[in-house]
Amino acid sequence: MFTGIVEETGVIRAVQRGAKSAVLTVEAKKVLEDVHVGDSIATNGVCLTVTAVRGGCFTADVMNETLRRSSLGSLTPGSRVNLERAMAANGRFGGHIVSGHIDGTGTVVSVRRDDIAVWYTIRTTPQLMRYIVEKGSIAIDGISLTVAAVETDRFSVSIIPHTVQETTLGEKRPGATVNLENDIIGKYVEKLMQKDGGMTPEFLAQNGF
């Protein structure tokens, strides 16, 4: 489990590609301070399991399902990535509940300045848009952000200078692909409402509403 508060950006040092998989080698500093083989590190929002730690880098396997749903397959040596270790039980919950399980990707369609802030507008699929609500939370490349505006096929976020400087968002231009994870609470609520016929007037009446 993660919070969407990026600890640092790392650099891809090697990508070993298989038929439908890959092994990433990521150079980092802060996240390696207490990392062990088997630990989880969110890499551009994708929960990866550390398979080795050596020479200021960690390695992680990326399976076909992850490559298919995320932008990790486009990474090359030199690419910068957002990194966050799994949340400690005694840590501050500064963002929102982020699982590291990407729902899909979006495409940056515009980037514009608004005084000190930067607005990013991102287009994505109807399957993801149904869970995106104004003033709700969303993780973009592993960054916990608040949705500022919602349209039919796109949404916008307004980013403070600190986030632009400390994450890879500052490098994104129109046409860039980003990983998206919807707020998990909305998905669970929808699933529960569909159970046994859903939230009908009859169900509400039977349960005292």
Side-chain angles (χ1 to χ4, degrees), residues 49-201:
T49 300
V50 175
T51 57
V53 181
R54 55 179 175 269
C57 298
F58 72 89
T59 62
D61 296 327
V62 185
M63 61 184 176
N64 184 39
E65 165 72 0
T66 304
L67 292 175
R68 184 178 66 84
R69 282 186 179 262
S70 75
S71 66
L72 292 192
S74 65
L75 294 175
T76 58
S79 297
R80 286 206 312 142
V81 289
N82 298 318
L83 301 175
E84 181 193 354
R85 289 168 291 187
M87 182 179 68
N90 62 348
R92 289 188 176 91
F93 205 133
H96 71 283
I97 298 173
V98 178
S99 69
H101 303 152
I102 300 302
D103 291 300
T105 60
T107 302
V108 177
V109 294
S110 69
V111 180
R112 66 177 179 86
R113 285 207 163 271
D114 180 15
D115 196 11
I116 65 168
V118 181
W119 281 71
Y120 291 82
T121 298
I122 298 169
R123 182 175 60 244
T124 190
T125 64
Q127 290 78 10
L128 271 68
M129 286 300 305
R130 68 185 296 167
Y131 302 111
I132 299 174
V133 298
E134 188 172 328
K135 302 307 177 184
S137 296
I138 190 164
I140 302 177
D141 275 351
I143 308 163
S144 174
L145 296 169
T146 300
V147 177
V150 179
E151 300 177 57
T152 303
D153 64 344
R154 64 198 63 193
F155 68 96
S156 298
V157 292
S158 182
I159 311 300
I160 62 174
H162 177 80
T163 304
V164 173
Q165 294 166 7
E166 298 298 322
T167 71
T168 61
L169 267 185
E171 303 170 1
K172 302 300 181 182
R173 300 292 180 268
T177 300
V178 292
N179 294 322
L180 301 176
E181 181 186 334
N182 293 122
D183 189 345
I184 195 170
I185 295 174
K187 290 182 284 187
Y188 276 120
V189 169
E190 180 185 61
K191 183 71 173 181
L192 290 170
M193 288 181 64
Q194 293 172 346
K195 188 177 185 302
D196 299 327
M199 192 73 70
T200 63

Side-chain angles (χ1 to χ4, degrees), residues 8-16 23-32 35 41-44 46 48-62 72 75-84:
E8 68 171 318
T9 58
V11 179
I12 301 295
R13 287 306 178 202
V15 180
Q16 181 182 344
V23 178
L24 300 180
T25 300
V26 185
E27 181 182 359
K29 292 181 181 178
K30 186 173 182 178
V31 300
L32 298 184
V35 73
I41 296 180
T43 305
N44 273 2
V46 181
L48 298 180
T49 300
V50 175
T51 57
V53 181
R54 55 179 175 269
C57 298
F58 72 89
T59 62
D61 296 327
V62 185
L72 292 192
L75 294 175
T76 58
S79 297
R80 286 206 312 142
V81 289
N82 298 318
L83 301 175
E84 181 193 354

